[in-house]
Amino acid sequence: MSSADTPTAPPSDPTASAEAAAPGGLKRAEAVARAALLDVESYDLRLDLASDTETFGSVTTVRFTSRGGTTFVDLKPASLRSVHLDGHPVDVDLLRRGRLPLETTEGPHELVVDAVMAFRNDGEGLHRSVDPADGRHYVYGMSFMDAAPSVFACFDQPDLKAPYTLHVTAPEDWVVIGNAPATNPEPGVWELEASQPLSTYFVTLVAGPYHLVRDQHDGIPLGLSARASLAADLDADAEELLTMTKQCFDEFHRLFGIRYPFGDYHQAFVPEFNAGAMENPGCVTFRDQLVFSSKVTRGQRIQRATTVAHEMAHQWFGNITTPLWWDDLWLNESFAEYMGNRVTADVTEYTDAWVYNSFSRRQWGLLADQRPSTHPVAGNGEEDATAALQNFDGISYAKGSSILKQLNATMGDEVFLAGAVDHFRSHFFGNATMHDLFASWERAGAGDLSDFTRGWLVTAGPDRIVLDRAAGALVRTPPPGSPADRSHTFRVATARATDPAGGTAGTGPWALTRVTTRGGRTAYEPEAGAAVVLDPYDDTWAVVEPDAETLAQLPALLPRTDDALLRAGVWNGVRSGYHHAAVAPAAVVDLVEAWLPTEDSDAAIAFTVPWLLRDVLPLTTDGDDAAARVHEAGLAGALAAPAGSTLQLAAFQAAAATAPADRLEHWIAGEGLPDGVEVDDELRWRLLVRLAALGATDRSALDRWLAQEPTTRTRVEHARAVASLPEAAAKEFAWERFTGAVPATNYELEAAGLGLWRPGQEHLTEPYVDRYLQALPTIAEVHQGWVLGQVVTAFFPLTSLRDETVAALHAAADAPGLDATVRRRVVDATDDLEHRLAVARAFGA
């Protein structure tokens, strides 16, 4: 293997002063220099959460050894009381842009930082929120990427690991949970044991009047927690959550032969969390929307199950062995994505997890890989932490997972797992690179993997494979400028709509064959008149699209297709074809109308219909007629499904999203519902949001509904509904949250942005195109971190289908000085807008 991309030697000048800190977070060269200078031995944190609701006291004692020289500690306080290095005061006025310079001599040192930190409400740092259901306060820590310095002073980079000991003062009715077991020696005082060595971004604290559920399995103490207002819902879900946790632990222990090494395993469901979950050792945090308080589909339960398994996989991939630098973040996410899906499908009740994955994640990854911002899966070369955050995308998750699945199929499970175990053992509680992992696989017997690495992991972009019937060939087109000459092995499904039966057992009318493509053209001649679906089982990573003859037969074939994974493959091909303006909106509606009443996977409906509503219906030549057809298909599916089933719920949700106003009003009142459908709080707000978008309700009515059930979730849906109203005041309501004129939680911000840009409301929203463009240069002063990216995307003018809008967005993205996160999100969303324009041009929308 070639040498590591990550530098192994410090630059000539390891000095990094506060003034030298550049925008974009820690630079890789700076991290290399600091790691060459320091060995961090331990952190001791004293946090006072009881004295104030706006700020908290944070006293950090860091013990480290230096080889002598100038370095810096990362620190983002509200105010700084004092800093002492080896008992000597450090000038606190030297703190600049989150960095405090330190002059060190060779040998051991003790740094003590006494600071006041601000609680945050953006899902990062130490987030504090108030539950509107009961007025109680809740806190949790999210230290990911560059948020840790807003909680404690630290050397904030992944390869300076150390154990952490926490001492916490909190209100007496709170419980405190962290990375290591905690005791409560007296009211309001919590002592946490020293943790295993952790990267700074894993450090967390969950504190508040949380409701707890405790259990144990195989010697591992288990715990669940959620806000007190969700206590009954957590209790109802606890058996399923704990059963999955135990099953996954057993399987990961069997696969790796290395026991979970972080003591307790607590899963905390916390409010207003930006990600789906975070793998903090000992205390995994999840968004508390995964505690279900209304009836949900099976697809939502699969999503939760795979998230639980994904975070458990991280305890090995990421927590035991951590990437040396963020350019190898795929070592965390791609592995956790692959292993999470695999283990969920193999050992839990959700054996159809791969079907869910195909519907929910495949297009996410493929679209990301085709954008101008595409990047390699591995070794993506990011030079600073903030830029690396933008690459936590469909490439690092879905594409990386798919490629690992291919690699496993090639080398076999025995070698694949043996190499992974060698990787863990070689870097236990340490850091490693992609090259270290591939060396482990080669030692395990995989052979030379350099061609695989070069073709799949360090070369960006997917190949595009289509059937040329006239030439009798499969045509492979690599991404522009790609040096990779990839071969692909995958299954092909063929059928004819006129055939009454045939095919392979379990696939309905489809017959399966396996093909391997090499070079640009591979001979392939299907039976005359047969529909052909390429790679329906996601065997390879490529964009595949149906040809016209296949597309014409799909409305007859798809309802007869027994295999849910094959149906997912059909839909992925259709969606790719639509993205490239090779499939007409009308053809998609025809297919949905035929397929929806017969689909038996609620995950298929839950992930296909939102795409249809967002990307397809607005571009049909008669949107009202298309929506009416989808509505009737969804209603037919709800009437045909077993009463009370999750399949019925998913089909009814599709009907609700396209329903006319009079029917919505009856349903909200509980009238005329299909037998088995009950309007709970979650479904009611779906109906209300649709009613608002149609302009068939008003702000005062929405306010009254909110007052009846003032929860975190209803506040979010209320924001979405109000912003969706076709009124000037509603659009201004959303805009005030974007600009920060009116404060809002992260979830409410995103909901307001998505509500603002409703198709058919362009007479109200077009003025906001210019306002959006004018706000971009300074929006990073209003929102930061994770929320900044979410807000820029949510408020993007996706309904403005004009060449002038595209040109202005390109100019805005190219403007010098634009924040990197803002630029990346604008570039990605503009690419989506251009594809929508191409569809509109091609099919006369």
Side-chain angles (χ1 to χ4, degrees):
M1 299 295 290
S2 61
S3 62
D5 293 333
T6 303
T8 56
S12 56
D13 180 10
T15 300
S17 70
E19 287 79 9
L26 181 72
K27 307 298 182 187
R28 179 162 60 172
E30 295 170 330
V32 170
R34 190 160 60 175
L37 189 70
L38 306 180
D39 294 316
V40 184
E41 297 167 11
S42 68
Y43 285 86
D44 185 276
L45 309 182
R46 294 187 176 274
L47 303 178
D48 180 2
L49 311 183
S51 300
D52 189 12
T53 59
E54 301 295 326
T55 61
F56 61 96
S58 172
V59 179
T60 306
T61 301
V62 193
R63 295 178 177 87
F64 63 95
T65 300
S66 174
R67 278 166 278 283
T70 302
T71 187
F72 61 93
V73 64
D74 298 290
L75 180 60
K76 300 176 181 178
S79 61
L80 190 51
R81 294 179 176 134
S82 66
V83 178
H84 289 82
L85 181 63
D86 303 325
H88 302 291
V90 175
D91 186 355
V92 297
D93 291 334
L94 294 176
L95 179 67
R96 296 286 187 279
R97 298 168 68 178
R99 296 182 177 184
L100 183 66
L102 299 175
E103 295 290 341
T104 68
T105 58
E106 185 174 356
H109 297 276
E110 180 181 270
L111 177 69
V112 180
V113 178
D114 187 349
V116 176
M117 302 292 194
F119 286 113
R120 297 171 64 170
N121 64 356
D122 59 0
E124 299 185 61
L126 210 53
H127 179 102
R128 186 167 186 145
S129 63
V130 180
D131 188 345
D134 57 18
R136 296 183 178 184
H137 288 236
Y138 292 89
V139 167
Y140 64 85
M142 178 60 163
S143 297
F144 182 74
M145 202 57 78
D146 64 350
S150 67
V151 181
F152 59 97
C154 57
F155 301 111
D156 190 24
Q157 59 191 73
D159 57 337
L160 289 178
K161 287 185 167 182
Y164 287 77
T165 304
L166 272 67
H167 319 270
V168 181
T169 303
E172 292 185 6
D173 63 335
W174 284 21
V175 295
V176 175
I177 301 159
N179 299 106
T183 59
N184 183 202
E186 59 182 274
V189 174
W190 295 81
E191 300 289 338
L192 279 68
E193 297 176 8
S195 71
Q196 298 285 11
L198 306 178
S199 297
T200 48
Y201 76 92
F202 289 137
V203 179
T204 194
L205 187 73
V206 175
Y210 284 95
H211 174 66
L212 300 180
V213 176
R214 297 196 184 277
D215 201 352
Q216 70 83 35
H217 177 68
D218 193 21
I220 303 170
L222 305 178
L224 306 170
S225 62
R227 288 175 287 138
S229 63
L230 296 175
D233 303 312
L234 182 63
D235 288 344
D237 281 353
E239 182 177 358
E240 179 178 323
L241 287 165
L242 291 169
T243 296
M244 289 189 305
T245 300
K246 295 171 186 178
Q247 291 168 330
C248 292
F249 262 133
D250 289 345
E251 182 68 356
F252 282 121
H253 287 158
R254 184 187 72 83
L255 292 171
F256 299 143
I258 299 173
R259 284 185 58 80
Y260 169 73
F262 296 104
D264 293 6
Y265 192 75
H266 191 88
Q267 297 174 98
F269 296 86
V270 298
E272 300 165 358
F273 199 65
N274 287 321
M278 179 63 197
E279 65 269 19
N280 317 300
C283 184
V284 177
T285 43
F286 298 82
R287 57 171 56 203
D288 63 11
Q289 293 163 319
L290 294 177
V291 175
F292 301 134
S293 54
S294 291
K295 187 174 182 179
V296 298
T297 63
R298 178 178 174 83
Q300 287 171 281
R301 291 191 179 276
I302 296 173
Q303 178 189 18
R304 182 171 72 180
T306 56
T307 302
V308 167
H310 178 112
E311 304 310 318
M312 292 184 73
H314 270 310
Q315 307 307 314
W316 287 265
F317 288 105
N319 295 9
I320 288 177
T321 305
T322 306
L324 189 68
W325 180 246
W326 299 113
D327 64 339
D328 267 329
L329 63 88
W330 80 286
L331 293 175
N332 284 8
E333 300 307 340
S334 301
F335 273 95
E337 183 89 352
Y338 168 61
M339 296 302 300
N341 286 310
R342 169 179 165 163
V343 168
T344 301
D346 286 352
V347 303
T348 77
E349 65 179 287
Y350 299 112
T351 56
D352 50 343
W354 285 114
V355 175
Y356 165 86
N357 180 77
S358 187
F359 274 110
S360 66
R361 309 290 264 188
R362 183 77 169 181
Q363 286 298 312
W364 178 43
L366 284 172
L367 292 179
D369 207 19
Q370 296 173 81
R371 290 186 175 125
S373 61
T374 186
H375 56 85
V377 174
N380 55 49
E382 292 298 354
E383 293 298 332
D384 67 67
T386 300
L389 177 62
Q390 305 312 309
N391 288 339
F392 277 73
D393 58 12
I395 296 170
S396 300
Y397 287 76
K399 180 181 180 180
S401 170
S402 178
I403 290 172
L404 288 173
K405 193 177 180 185
Q406 291 173 232
L407 185 62
N408 178 276
T410 300
M411 68 172 61
D413 218 33
E414 183 177 351
V415 172
F416 183 89
L417 292 171
V421 171
D422 180 77
H423 182 66
F424 302 145
R425 295 194 185 281
S426 299
H427 308 280
F428 208 81
F429 292 144
N431 300 81
T433 69
M434 173 187 75
H435 303 281
D436 296 321
L437 174 62
F438 274 71
S440 289
W441 270 327
E442 291 180 354
R443 285 194 295 271
D448 184 2
L449 293 170
S450 57
D451 286 345
F452 183 91
T453 304
R454 184 165 49 251
W456 293 101
L457 291 175
V458 299
T459 301
D463 291 343
R464 186 171 178 228
I465 304 174
V466 296
L467 171 63
D468 184 340
R469 287 182 186 263
L474 297 175
V475 179
R476 181 189 71 87
T477 305
S482 171
D485 185 15
R486 307 179 181 112
S487 65
H488 298 264
T489 298
F490 53 86
R491 283 164 283 184
V492 177
T494 58
R496 292 193 301 183
T498 55
D499 290 343
T504 306
T507 64
W510 301 92
L512 300 177
T513 56
R514 188 176 296 274
V515 302
T516 298
T517 66
R518 293 185 175 87
R521 305 179 75 83
T522 300
Y524 179 81
E525 294 193 43
E527 181 183 352
V532 178
V533 177
L534 306 178
D535 192 25
Y537 295 100
D538 301 343
D539 293 321
T540 192
W541 184 256
V543 174
V544 295
E545 303 168 11
D547 68 309
E549 192 164 343
T550 297
L551 187 65
Q553 298 187 62
L554 288 179
L557 287 169
L558 197 57
R560 296 164 50 200
T561 302
D562 301 329
D563 188 334
L565 194 53
L566 199 158
R567 294 197 301 273
V570 169
W571 271 115
N572 278 315
V574 169
R575 290 181 63 170
S576 287
Y578 183 81
H579 182 69
H580 290 287
V583 173
V588 177
V589 175
D590 289 345
L591 185 57
V592 168
E593 188 174 34
W595 155 81
L596 183 52
T598 66
E599 178 57 58
D600 63 8
S601 166
D602 63 41
I605 298 172
F607 283 97
T608 302
V609 170
W611 164 75
L612 174 82
L613 298 175
R614 182 187 65 249
D615 291 350
V616 180
L617 291 189
L619 301 184
T620 56
T621 53
D622 188 342
D624 291 340
D625 176 69
R629 291 166 61 194
V630 174
H631 171 71
E632 292 302 327
L635 193 56
L639 292 169
S645 66
T646 63
L647 178 63
Q648 181 188 52
L649 177 61
F652 185 77
Q653 288 172 349
T658 48
D662 57 346
R663 184 164 282 176
L664 290 164
E665 290 170 345
H666 285 297
W667 284 347
I668 290 171
E671 302 167 355
L673 294 161
D675 184 35
V677 174
E678 296 180 2
V679 179
D680 59 17
D681 198 50
E682 194 275 341
L683 184 54
R684 179 179 299 108
W685 276 99
R686 283 180 181 264
L687 301 174
L688 288 169
V689 168
R690 168 66 175 168
L691 204 61
L694 292 173
T697 188
D698 58 27
R699 171 71 184 272
S700 61
L702 296 172
D703 290 349
R704 287 194 297 272
W705 281 111
L706 176 63
Q708 291 182 23
E709 191 74 27
T711 66
T712 298
R713 183 180 61 197
T714 57
R715 282 172 56 178
V716 172
E717 294 310 313
H718 175 265
R720 189 190 316 276
V722 170
S724 299
L725 290 166
E727 303 170 359
K731 305 311 171 186
E732 195 62 27
F733 165 92
W735 193 253
E736 288 173 340
R737 283 145 182 80
F738 179 63
T739 62
V742 174
T745 68
N746 43 1
Y747 290 0
E748 291 170 39
L749 273 168
E750 186 173 24
L754 295 175
L756 190 159
W757 298 100
R758 289 286 181 182
Q761 298 181 1
E762 287 78 11
H763 63 291
L764 293 169
T765 56
E766 277 302 308
Y768 286 90
V769 175
D770 286 340
R771 294 177 72 176
Y772 178 85
L773 291 163
Q774 292 164 10
L776 289 177
T778 57
I779 197 64
E781 299 171 11
V782 180
H783 307 288
Q784 291 81 41
W786 203 300
V787 169
L788 174 61
Q790 290 176 324
V791 167
V792 170
T793 299
F795 281 84
F796 182 87
L798 197 60
T799 62
S800 184
L801 295 173
R802 300 188 301 127
D803 289 326
E804 296 86 351
T805 299
V806 170
L809 287 163
H810 279 303
D814 291 339
L818 189 67
D819 178 88
T821 297
V822 175
R823 176 177 289 109
R824 170 66 176 270
R825 293 305 184 100
V826 171
V827 166
D828 286 353
T830 303
D831 184 64
D832 291 343
L833 181 60
E834 289 183 283
H835 280 87
R836 289 165 70 94
L837 266 170
V839 171
R841 288 196 187 94
F843 301 106

